[in-house]
Amino acid sequence: MTAGQVKDILRKPDARSLARLLGQPDFAPVYEEADRVRREQVGDVVHLRAILEFSNVCRRRCRYCGLNAVNADVTRYRMTEEEIVDTARRAAQAGYRTLVMQSGEDPYYTPERLGRLIQEVKKTGMAVTVSCGEMEKSAYAYLRVCGADRYLLKHETADPALYRRLHPCGTLEERVRCLRILKGLGYETGGGFMVGLPGQTLETIGQDLLLLRDIPCDMAGIGPFIPHPQTPLKGSASGSTGLTKRAVALARLLLPRANLPATTSLGVLNAGEKNDVFSCGANVVMRKVTPDAYKRLYEIYPANLPPTDILSDRRELENQIRALGRVPH
Ligand code: SAM
């Protein structure tokens, strides 16, 4: 497929044409175009975001997630307000300009409690992204008033039937309604989805990409599904990193100015790999600043997480990004 044909498809994309594109044997022209558009629209800067996973308590039963409420093998934790604010301060001192505050859907964190935390974190000068799941419109509005700048709520999959199978506690319609509310409240709105969910097709990924554009999302986390041994999907295969990179590249072309993270699950940052995700359209990286004792317990999917120090970890990340010819920010 030539660059011209790719442009033709992207002029009036539908799920089928995007699926055809995703399945192309030679994806190099799309990667090149995505890299060009990324450079032209958002430049060479890679935004480094600190992510603090402050509670792994969750009332939901998402069938892919290790934190699902029925997984009795997880030791549940809630960081105290002091621990949260202290970690936020250390992230700011290390140079981070954004803190992503993530948790399961934990009823303990009422809008009032979460709002107070956001106000404290904002005192560090960092922007705040909240990623705590679905809430009432009044709660989203309250957190916005408290200073939340962005909200990350992946739609997970744009196929309503697949969504229903994976989420006994919710519907795609409700998820999308939340995203539209967030957008309407002036949040920088982050959606996203997993690649490789059992039952997903290339056409589903096409629908996922179109949904991101329809909202339209200001950021989009696209990462491979990784099976967790204590979930009903434990026997499933992991999502393909190659296909994930293809989806990120198409997201860059459909949403040229979006912030597109190299998601943690993609485990990128391999300077030696030619088509690393940063040359496929990504311009953001999220780094865990969750204290080691808790980090191990926030096991969405199995990951081998060595102990880290926030400052030296950030310096290492900056060096890796510079080695890719990009500018850490
Ligand atoms: N509770 C919030 C929510 O629902 O948006 C945020 C926490 S949730 C654990 C964060 C993200 O983890 C989800 O949006 C989902 O895409 C991702 N996730 C969960 N389980 C996963 C798995 N097995 N493989 C890859 N990603 C997973």
Side-chain angles (χ1 to χ4, degrees), residues 64-65 102-103 131 133 154 156 175 194 224 226 298 300-301:
Y64 45 81
C65 183
Q102 190 175 85
S103 69
S131 177
K154 297 197 205 176
E156 317 295 5
R175 199 78 173 170
M194 282 171 276
I226 301 171
Y298 198 85
I300 297 173
Y301 44 77

Side-chain angles (χ1 to χ4, degrees), residues 81-303:
E81 290 197 19
E82 292 70 33
E83 285 174 317
I84 294 170
V85 175
D86 176 60
T87 309
R89 286 199 191 108
R90 284 189 296 121
Q93 280 158 11
Y96 286 104
R97 292 156 204 252
T98 294
L99 186 72
V100 182
M101 298 176 66
Q102 190 175 85
S103 69
E105 282 197 16
D106 181 354
Y108 173 83
Y109 286 101
T110 57
E112 290 68 32
R113 284 195 173 114
L114 203 47
R116 204 168 51 237
L117 277 170
I118 291 167
Q119 285 166 333
E120 284 305 310
V121 172
K122 289 287 286 193
K123 289 181 189 162
T124 65
M126 287 189 290
V128 169
T129 303
V130 181
S131 177
C132 300
E134 294 176 30
M135 296 182 192
E136 297 294 329
K137 181 177 181 180
S138 56
Y140 286 146
Y142 180 70
L143 300 184
R144 182 89 182 107
V145 170
C146 290
D149 303 277
R150 311 186 186 116
Y151 205 102
L152 176 60
L153 184 79
K154 297 197 205 176
H155 69 260
E156 317 295 5
T157 175
D159 173 344
L162 179 57
Y163 191 99
R164 219 173 306 120
R165 284 203 297 279
L166 296 174
H167 303 95
C169 304
T171 62
L172 176 63
E173 199 184 349
E174 183 55 23
R175 199 78 173 170
V176 171
R177 197 178 73 87
C178 287
L179 282 166
R180 294 199 198 283
I181 288 172
L182 290 163
K183 189 79 191 171
L185 289 168
Y187 279 94
E188 246 183 70
T189 304
F193 58 93
M194 282 171 276
V195 171
L197 288 168
Q200 183 188 57
T201 63
L202 291 183
E203 219 168 295
T204 321
I205 300 177
Q207 286 164 359
D208 285 318
L209 291 164
L210 292 174
L211 179 56
L212 294 178
R213 196 175 70 152
D214 187 52
I215 298 237
C217 287
D218 304 289
M219 39 185 189
I222 302 171
F225 157 70
I226 301 171
H228 187 290
Q230 273 123 22
T231 62
L233 299 188
K234 62 182 174 207
S236 308
S238 290
S240 144
T241 53
L243 185 55
T244 305
K245 286 193 264 186
R246 287 178 177 217
V248 172
L250 288 183
R252 171 59 66 208
L253 296 176
L254 291 166
L255 293 152
R257 295 196 55 77
N259 280 327
L260 298 179
T263 51
T264 323
S265 53
L266 194 45
V268 279
L269 283 186
N270 174 359
E273 194 184 332
K274 189 162 174 288
N275 275 332
D276 67 87
V277 71
F278 289 107
S279 59
C280 304
N283 68 326
V284 174
V285 63
M286 290 193 198
R287 206 63 158 189
K288 286 174 190 265
V289 293
T290 312
D292 290 327
Y294 299 124
K295 191 165 69 177
R296 276 190 292 278
L297 303 175
Y298 198 85
E299 203 189 59
I300 297 173
Y301 44 77

Side-chain angles (χ1 to χ4, degrees), residues 64-86:
Y64 45 81
C65 183
L67 302 185
N68 73 75
V70 283
N71 184 1
D73 290 340
V74 185
T75 305
R76 303 283 171 173
Y77 71 86
R78 281 186 188 115
M79 288 175 65
T80 64
E81 290 197 19
E82 292 70 33
E83 285 174 317
I84 294 170
V85 175
D86 176 60

